[in-house]
Amino acid sequence: MHRNRADHPPTRHGRLIGAGATIAALAIAGSALGAMPAYAAEPDFGPNVTIFDDTWTADQISAALMAASTEAEFSLNRHQFFFKPGTYGSAAGQDNPATATGIVNSELGYYQAVAGLGASPEDVRINGAIHVEPVRQCEANPWDCQQPGSLTRFWRSMSNLTFNPIQRPVGVDASRPFPSGITNAHQMRFAVSQAAPLRRINIEGDLTLMGRVGEYASGGYLANSKVSGEILSGSQQQWFTRDSTVGTWNGGVWNMVFSGVDGAPATDFGPLPGGGNGNKTNIGDTPINREAPFLYLDGDDYKVFVPKAKQDTSGHDWSTDASAGESIDIDDFYIAHEGATAAQLNAALAAGKHLLITPGVYSLDAPLEVDNAGTVVLGLGYASLVPTAGNAAIEVGDVAGVKIAGLTIDAGEVLSDVLLQVGPDGASASDAADPTTLSDVFIRVGGPWAGKATTSIEVNSPDTLLDHIWAWRADHGEGVGWTSNVGDHGVVVNGDDVTALGLFVEHYQKNQVIWNGERGRTVFFQSETPYDPPTQGAYMDGTRLGYAAYRVGDQVRHHLAQGVGVYSFFDAQYNQSQNIYVESGVQVPQRPGVRIESAVSVMLNGTGGINHIVNDQGDAAHAPGGGISKFLAVYETAVDPNAQSLQVTVPEGAPGEFVWSIDGTNDIVDLGTAVENGDHFAASGSINPVRVTDTRRSAAPWSVSAQVGDFDSPVASFSGKYLGWAPKVTEAGGGAAAGEAVQSGFIGGNGLADSSTLGHAPSGHERGSAKLGADLDLRIPVAATDGTYRATLTITGLG
């Protein structure tokens, strides 16, 4: 049966300032914003935020953390824990965890976020461990039960902390015959799956991402962190590590992706010389990134640091000076407590405030309207937004530089068209240097109740950055069924120049991702097909079997996706053991400029499977019993099979005719390397000259014009409007005159993207021949992606 919030009264814990003191939450009433509070050194973060300082003992800290770690998977309680700068726990027993005392030691549970309040992770040092252990099914012999293990260890996080790892079993686990929580000395366990990020974490030792006996785990996310020792991924099916520093890496199953990671292993994806398949993809630099905003203490003052976006990055970077980002005073934020209404939050946004949304579940009868450029919306402790009237939870206006982080959005029971919309339809405002960014944004359609949403995230704004997204149509929990928790698409990208770093999208009923924008790029994608189609007929994309999980629009000319995993599990309990197939996990237009690297199809279990990896390439992943994986290192094509090659021969002009031709050779016009000049790059050169001959007796007027297409490179493009020219007659004759100069579109107008006259002659001109030329002026915005670009200048003669 359906259970609503009244059936789950939330447990409330006071916000702990000292070892037992609490501050009650202030009630919020009315729809008007009213006077903003003047915050003291300790703002009111509400009852679900706990702040540790040096008045707490290690045992008290462990007890508080452990008490909050036992929430049920779909609980409506939320918890945020902060550590003020300092050292917590004793290092005395670090070499023998079995006998160590005085350490901070707790498991980390659902809807529990733990973070340091220092400007650097090194400002908070924890001697001990805050760890995640798998679900146990077989107490006496855990080797007999590898699942669920860590397959459902979702919705928990840690950030901005340094660990000297000293881990011991705790709670119920400590009394088991074979405890899960035992690790080697100087090792901490974080055996999680989706929506469980580690950010700005400094581990002075080893990190294991799997259970003690190798229980299954389904992927996670590590960013801007340093692990001095070994990372043992082991049974992790997939994992994304970004802009970090690691000692060594060990293990993994299908899709391990490293982007900008110092110390990462080399790429070995696909068939190996000695047999089997490699699973690692190493991308040297992250093309663009912006770290998530975070709360910290500047002396006694609370601030939010908002890192700047950076390009081509690698390694960890914990700097918080002005060159690295912006510090925003806490009194520039409206601090929302559970119970705040959409009207109150929108009044704060309209007044120019940023939002700090404290832990809780927020019912919204209207979307949050984020219409001011640069607005920060930061959630704490897995704060959850729930639309109640078929509305979106958040709608971002046609503005740039918005940052949304740390939020969960649950679809309501009334169907929403979209849950989070980044820019209205046709949005054009963007700033490549300050992209609108979504960090650690998690969507659920079903789970707590029968949620419904056609599209979970729609991105219309150009230059948007998606940094760790999990969009999940629930495969278990409340209200789960083919006609109950309905959802077509997880992510739809319509804007150009959008980048996704760590994109997890699962179980939607049609294409899980649709990418219509140009020059999109995804680094790491993980997806499972829906478990519950009742028949193949219910799961057809027209005449095509099933729906590709990752679908690039047919009109797209440039796209790059790296580290792409699509898994199938068509559960026999829903389809009465009928085979259900997906024609291909990834579907893209077959043309130069569209490239997929490191793609894998996996049949996890169930019936049917996946016929191809990308389009018609890659072996089938289906067989009785499941556990079948197929790998494709690269998909690309040099020829568009739907294009037609054209050729024409222009004969030498006979007397009494009008002809034109390239004078001399038609070599590529190389403008060289552009030179940075303030707010743009500049390059110049000259076209190959054009010879025009007109010997017609009628002396009719003629003109020669030209138009340039976009400049393309293998990974990006920019408009031909940025090219301008100054035509000239280099050899006079036949009454020829030069066309008007056209300035680069960087200055104004459309440059040579519009047809422009190179030369012409009026009616009645003398017979003869002339040579036309033009000096080229290319001015490109400094935000253009580096690379070697080519364009086609099409010349047309009319006479």
Side-chain angles (χ1 to χ4, degrees), residues 72 102 274 322 398 422 438 495 502 517 535 540 562 572 595 617 729 772 781 795:
D398 194 6
V422 182
L438 275 56
T535 63
M540 293 285 291
Q562 299 165 290
R595 180 180 172 95
Q617 294 190 22
V729 177
L772 307 176
I795 300 173

Side-chain angles (χ1 to χ4, degrees), residues 621-773:
H622 46 73
I628 306 301
S629 55
K630 302 295 181 180
F631 295 77
L632 181 65
V634 176
Y635 173 90
E636 64 179 345
T637 181
V639 178
D640 184 347
N642 298 313
Q644 299 182 36
S645 298
L646 304 178
Q647 178 176 307
V648 61
T649 300
V650 178
E652 187 175 335
E657 294 183 349
F658 166 72
V659 295
W660 67 269
S661 64
I662 304 297
D663 191 75
T665 63
N666 188 24
D667 295 333
I668 291 174
V669 177
D670 190 349
L671 303 183
T673 301
V675 177
E676 188 170 354
N677 185 8
D679 59 353
H680 67 279
F681 290 107
S684 59
S686 299
I687 67 168
N688 295 314
V690 175
R691 170 72 66 179
V692 181
T693 300
D694 189 1
T695 58
R696 295 173 299 175
R697 292 174 180 168
S698 65
W702 60 261
S703 68
V704 174
S705 60
Q707 184 174 13
V708 73
D710 289 348
F711 284 78
D712 294 328
S713 77
V715 297
S717 66
F718 59 82
S719 173
K721 76 175 185 179
Y722 294 118
L723 183 66
W725 71 359
K728 57 188 176 182
V729 177
T730 61
E731 184 180 305
E740 297 290 332
V742 176
Q743 65 183 3
S744 165
F746 184 84
I747 301 171
N750 287 321
L752 291 183
D754 293 340
S755 181
S756 303
T757 301
L758 175 64
H760 61 93
S763 178
H765 62 81
E766 63 185 48
R767 299 182 191 180
S769 177
K771 188 187 293 186
L772 307 176

